[in-house]
Amino acid sequence: DTEVTQTPKHLVMGMTNKKSLKCEQHMGHRAMYWYKQKAKKPPELMFVYSYEKLSINESVPSRFSPECPNSSLLNLHLHALQPEDSALYLCASSQPWREVYNEQFFGPGTRLTVL
Amino acid sequence: SQQGEEDPQALSIQEGENATMNCSYKTSINNLQWYRQNSGRGLVHLILIRSNEREKHSGRLRVTLDTSKKSSSLLITASRAADTASYFCATDITGGFKTIFGAGTRLFVKA
């Protein structure tokens, strides 16, 4: 299985809502990533987990809260988002950077709209 | 801030022609990768070139890396309409943990 799955595919939420994005992989990868991508822009790194521990937080606002419950799952909890947070949220996985060269496998993304 | 700068930003060619995209970066890297993204979808890894390699081939793809100029190029030969997508270079910074994507080139191949 060389697939990264993400749910939901689309999400519309109000600024007072709490929602979660989910990402799953069964490739035995021990590094997982969240990216944010605005239209016609490159992906921007948000968080990196290595061996289920948060290793990089790119100064992301606290209204985004990542969680890695086990080596296969990665969640992104959303609370009190702003309309400018509307974007495509991409999850990726790879072997940890220090072990092998860092080819990342991406999920199809969740298209988030904040009203 | 983004490490990689790519040119051209957009490229339109006829099917069968070759497409060349360039990427420049600023800091020392461990490796450089190229990814493809179809509209609104996830990214697909195309090819990885290590910092001690100068050229690499994969099918119709040819990647070069010039670490002295901090630049890379991706050549797609005999392009097809299905190659229409955005192409991003991505660099792993030496001593760092993160991958930084360039601005991307939008390729349109006309049938």
Side-chain angles (χ1 to χ4, degrees):
Chain A
D1 184 359
T2 58
E3 194 177 65
V4 176
T5 60
Q6 289 187 244
T7 55
K9 290 184 179 178
H10 301 275
L11 178 62
V12 179
M13 58 186 292
M15 289 189 284
T16 58
N17 292 156
K18 286 185 181 181
K19 297 286 185 183
S20 297
L21 309 184
K22 180 180 172 182
C23 173
E24 193 166 5
Q25 57 88 15
H26 295 286
M27 293 178 279
H29 290 166
R30 301 305 296 274
M32 296 186 77
Y33 310 75
W34 280 115
Y35 290 88
K36 173 183 177 180
Q37 186 179 27
K38 303 283 270 185
K40 296 184 180 180
K41 296 291 186 182
E44 293 182 11
L45 185 65
M46 299 174 72
F47 303 104
V48 180
Y49 275 83
S50 179
Y51 292 98
E52 295 86 69
K53 287 186 170 35
L54 184 64
S55 61
I56 292 180
N57 176 343
E58 288 289 283
S59 303
V60 179
S62 60
R63 58 185 183 269
F64 294 91
S65 176
E67 178 196 20
C68 191
N70 60 55
S71 60
S72 300
L73 280 174
L74 185 66
N75 298 319
L76 186 62
H77 303 297
L78 314 172
H79 173 55
L81 294 192
Q82 303 297 310
E84 59 264 29
D85 297 322
S86 298
L88 181 68
Y89 287 84
L90 294 162
C91 173
S93 71
S94 75
Q95 293 295 3
W97 179 83
R98 284 181 170 169
E99 293 185 1
V100 296
Y101 292 100
N102 195 19
E103 173 186 346
Q104 295 182 32
F105 292 76
F106 281 80
T110 293
R111 176 74 60 188
L112 174 67
T113 302
V114 182
L115 301 176
Chain B
S1 62
Q2 293 299 319
Q3 153 105 306
E5 299 293 330
E6 291 175 70
D7 77 271
Q9 291 186 348
L11 181 61
S12 181
I13 59 174
Q14 292 290 140
E15 208 167 30
E17 293 180 340
N18 295 341
T20 300
M21 290 159 264
N22 302 295
C23 169
S24 61
Y25 57 92
K26 297 174 183 172
T27 63
S28 296
I29 60 171
N30 284 311
N31 63 68
L32 186 143
Q33 303 170 61
W34 286 89
Y35 288 83
R36 185 186 76 228
Q37 184 178 34
N38 290 90
S39 181
R41 306 290 299 276
L43 281 76
V44 174
H45 184 266
L46 295 176
I47 195 166
L48 179 151
I49 186 165
R50 300 173 186 175
S51 58
N52 61 354
E53 297 176 314
R54 292 296 167 258
E55 186 171 315
K56 202 162 183 180
H57 297 254
S58 177
R60 294 184 296 114
L61 306 179
R62 172 177 170 257
V63 169
T64 62
L65 179 65
D66 187 336
T67 53
S68 66
K69 295 181 179 178
K70 293 186 167 60
S71 67
S72 173
S73 68
L74 171 67
L75 169 67
I76 304 174
T77 60
S79 63
R80 306 165 182 168
D83 295 328
T84 294
S86 292
Y87 292 82
F88 295 95
C89 68
T91 51
D92 280 339
I93 300 171
T94 302
F97 288 87
K98 58 186 183 181
T99 300
I100 298 180
F101 285 83
T105 293
R106 283 180 285 132
L107 175 66
F108 181 64
V109 182
K110 293 177 279 188

